[in-house]
Amino acid sequence: MNILEKANAIKNGEIKALDNVNNYIKVIDETNDSINAFLEINKENAINKAKEIDEKIANGEEVGLLAGLVIGIKANINVEDFTISAASKTLEDYIGSYDATVVKRIKAEDGIIIGINNMDEFAAGSSTETSYYGVCNNPAAPGKITGGSSGGGAAAIAGKMCDIAIGSDTGGSIRNPSSHCGIDGFKPTYGLVSRQGLLDLSMSLDQIGPMSSDVYGLTLALDTITGYDSSECTTLNTEIPNFTDIAKKTKDEEKPLKGMKIAKVKEFTEVTDDKINDVVDKAINKLVEQGAELVELSFDYIDICLPTYYLINYVEFFSATRKYDGREYGSRIEETCGEEVLRRIQIGSYISQQEYSGKYYKKALQARSLIRNEINKMLDEVDLIVGPTVPKLPHNIGDKLEPMEMYAYDVLTVIANLAGIPAASIKAGEVDNIPVGLQIQAKPEDDEKIIKAIAAYEL
Ligand code: GLN
């Protein structure tokens, strides 16, 4: 049963929301100690909410889009009465005092928030190993990292602990763990989802989005959380399609991708392990079988993507962390944070001091424009860019990587954030029993084309 069928079965009383919740609680009880996907669970709350929904349904009352579905929220998104630590010791005592816009919308659509997902500290990482609360184990490849930074959410989906997990993606943090855990993850166009209530990593790159086990988990979440928010100035005030309808329609069509042009990119293949390319090529073929026309394009700026991304990330993160001075809440970040967060603060501070000469940050912004223009030019020629999400397989938990080795995981995912374009990762297949993701990218506000491709792929 897919997520839409489940949602419908709950709405017409065939499945009880309470059973859905209890089933997940059972799995969480049995496995969360070893997977570490959730940092906090509120069972009682979830059970009460489920009973309320079942009662409304029994009385013939209208319920929301997400009625009875069970949802995890990343630990950097404010949810009232949960500990919103961003997986940092700095905020270990910080209790969410309000709901982020996305959380308000999820609650308004009767989604059941069961708990808070583990992550890399302040979302700064690609492995979830920097969490103050310990690493996650990958349910799809035990002993391997889940990827990150939304590793807890991805593990919760792969480990069947909830229906939808809400993550954030600054340079790949939804798509990278989705790839490593063999699930679907979606980073919308920058501005399509409100960031109000998200603890910033790098605000010009951060975007909230969903992870789930199939396209309908993504679309039901997107139909709930996208849209203009008057309290957040970077949200787009545009018309947004109904993503669930698009997925449904796609599945009814014969060769639904007919007329769509998709492109592989030579340089993306070149930086990726051969075995991963083989699996990804097979997945791309499935899109071709559904009617898409495949071409090859070239991208000139692959070498400057990581330096550009990390420089901007360091500077914006440094600025975002100035409020963690231990006065209003939490403790002083430099005194309590881990190694990677401290590295970013220190380098970000150094660059900011040097900036009067326009040496670094200004150059990074220029490089960002080059990357954005080039990608948009490519997307003028084709509807979608398809290829690997992550260029290498996840390492074993406990292996010690140098910062540059860790950053190398992100080379194919940072581009979408630098350009503000939508991008998803879906499961392409496996290499040595380890999941590998197919990344699909589109022009700004062409999110629906990605949804169409995923729906067709999952036919
Ligand atoms: N791995 C990247 C980083 O460390 C991306 C993180 C993210 O998307 N939150 O910055």
Side-chain angles (χ1 to χ4, degrees):
M1 193 189 286
N2 67 43
I3 304 273
L4 181 63
E5 286 163 347
K6 186 199 264 191
N8 288 338
I10 291 173
K11 283 193 190 85
N12 61 35
E14 285 164 41
I15 295 179
K16 292 266 173 271
L18 184 60
D19 289 336
N20 193 35
V21 166
N22 279 332
N23 288 341
Y24 282 129
I25 287 179
K26 189 162 174 276
V27 180
I28 291 170
D29 281 345
E30 282 166 8
T31 60
N32 194 49
D33 279 351
S34 61
I35 305 287
N36 206 15
F38 281 97
L39 299 178
E40 186 180 0
I41 305 276
N42 190 335
K43 293 181 199 172
E44 208 188 290
N45 204 28
I47 288 170
N48 288 339
K49 179 80 196 159
K51 285 181 181 162
E52 226 175 78
I53 291 165
D54 285 334
E55 211 175 283
K56 271 197 200 168
I57 291 168
N59 291 337
E61 282 172 56
E62 182 100 22
V63 289
L65 201 56
L66 299 176
L69 296 182
V70 173
I71 294 160
I73 306 281
K74 188 172 178 177
N76 59 351
I77 299 173
N78 270 281
V79 188
E80 206 174 353
D81 296 335
F82 279 98
T83 304
I84 308 303
S85 65
S88 180
K89 184 169 170 50
T90 304
L91 296 178
E92 65 179 334
D93 297 322
Y94 172 67
I95 309 288
S97 55
Y98 67 100
D99 286 333
T101 297
V102 292
V103 170
K104 273 194 203 125
R105 291 183 178 176
I106 287 168
K107 288 183 175 173
E109 292 295 340
D110 290 323
I112 300 178
I113 294 174
I114 188 132
I116 300 297
N117 290 125
N118 203 356
M119 58 183 282
D120 275 298
E121 184 178 22
F122 285 105
S126 319
S127 69
T128 312
E129 290 170 303
T130 68
S131 168
Y132 174 64
Y133 302 96
V135 66
C136 289
N137 199 351
N138 186 336
K144 300 282 174 191
I145 56 154
T146 52
S149 66
S150 312
I157 298 297
K160 301 197 176 355
M161 300 179 186
C162 60
D163 294 301
I164 293 165
I166 300 296
S168 66
D169 188 311
T170 306
S173 277
I174 289 174
R175 291 160 288 152
N176 167 300
S178 295
S179 175
H180 291 326
C181 293
I183 61 155
D184 291 355
F186 194 98
K187 180 205 93 71
T189 296
Y190 186 80
L192 208 65
V193 176
S194 171
R195 291 181 298 107
Q196 190 272 345
L198 170 72
L199 309 188
D200 304 319
L201 170 57
S202 182
M203 57 177 279
S204 76
L205 302 161
D206 297 335
Q207 188 59 201
I208 292 176
M211 293 176 277
S212 192
S213 52
D214 66 52
V215 68
Y216 288 119
L218 301 184
T219 62
L220 290 169
L222 288 172
D223 289 336
T224 302
I225 64 176
T226 54
Y228 177 69
D229 176 5
S230 59
S231 70
E232 210 260 270
C233 63
T234 62
T235 50
L236 299 169
N237 198 351
T238 54
E239 210 179 306
I240 296 171
N242 184 301
F243 293 105
T244 304
D245 283 350
I246 288 167
K248 268 199 289 201
K249 225 178 116 231
T250 304
K251 292 199 187 267
D252 288 339
E253 284 169 28
E254 183 85 12
K255 300 249 183 234
L257 302 185
K258 216 168 149 215
M260 255 201 194
K261 217 164 159 186
I262 63 175
K264 281 179 56 166
V265 179
K266 192 167 134 270
E267 291 75 9
F268 295 179
T269 309
E270 280 167 7
V271 298
T272 303
D273 289 353
D274 291 344
K275 282 182 172 178
I276 295 179
N277 280 323
D278 289 345
V279 169
V280 167
D281 278 342
K282 286 201 189 100
I284 293 174
N285 268 338
K286 270 177 88 173
L287 298 176
V288 173
E289 279 162 22
Q290 294 297 336
E293 179 198 345
L294 178 65
V295 298
E296 191 175 64
L297 291 176
S298 196
F299 173 68
D300 288 339
Y301 299 113
I302 191 83
D303 294 338
I304 61 169
C305 289
L306 286 176
T308 303
Y309 167 81
Y310 275 95
L311 205 147
I312 293 172
N313 186 297
Y314 286 175
V315 171
E316 293 186 3
F317 183 55
F318 166 67
S319 142
T321 56
R322 293 311 82 204
K323 60 179 168 287
Y324 306 122
D325 55 10
R327 273 183 285 194
E328 219 179 308
Y329 45 75
S331 43
R332 192 169 164 263
I333 189 165
E334 288 86 344
E335 279 158 20
T336 40
C337 71
E339 200 184 343
E340 178 60 24
V341 165
L342 190 61
R343 178 179 6 264
R344 294 188 191 205
I345 292 173
Q346 285 172 341
I347 303 179
S349 157
Y350 176 78
I351 298 169
S352 304
Q353 283 162 27
Q354 299 297 313
E355 201 40 40
Y356 59 87
S357 57
K359 247 210 279 201
Y360 303 108
Y361 189 62
K362 202 168 147 216
K363 283 234 168 69
L365 292 181
Q366 286 164 347
R368 182 176 184 174
S369 295
L370 285 177
I371 293 165
R372 186 195 290 126
N373 293 342
E374 174 86 356
I375 278 285
N376 277 318
K377 228 169 60 198
M378 291 159 75
L379 287 164
D380 279 339
E381 283 175 50
V382 297
D383 297 288
L384 301 171
I385 293 174
V386 291
T389 308
V390 186
K392 51 183 186 159
L393 294 174
H395 59 268
N396 292 326
I397 292 169
D399 284 358
K400 196 96 185 86
L401 267 63
E402 292 299 321
M404 289 304 166
E405 288 179 282
M406 190 68 83
Y407 296 171
Y409 278 118
D410 305 329
V411 63
L412 300 172
T413 45
V414 295
I415 299 167
N417 305 78
L418 289 167
I421 62 174
S425 180
I426 59 177
K427 187 175 174 181
E430 293 183 357
V431 170
D432 305 332
N433 295 320
I434 301 163
V436 157
L438 168 70
Q439 180 168 231
I440 309 176
Q441 310 187 70
K443 256 196 135 97
E445 297 187 54
D446 267 356
D447 305 61
E448 60 187 271
K449 286 190 183 167
I450 299 179
I451 291 300
K452 209 169 160 138
I454 303 174
Y457 180 85
E458 289 179 359
L459 268 174

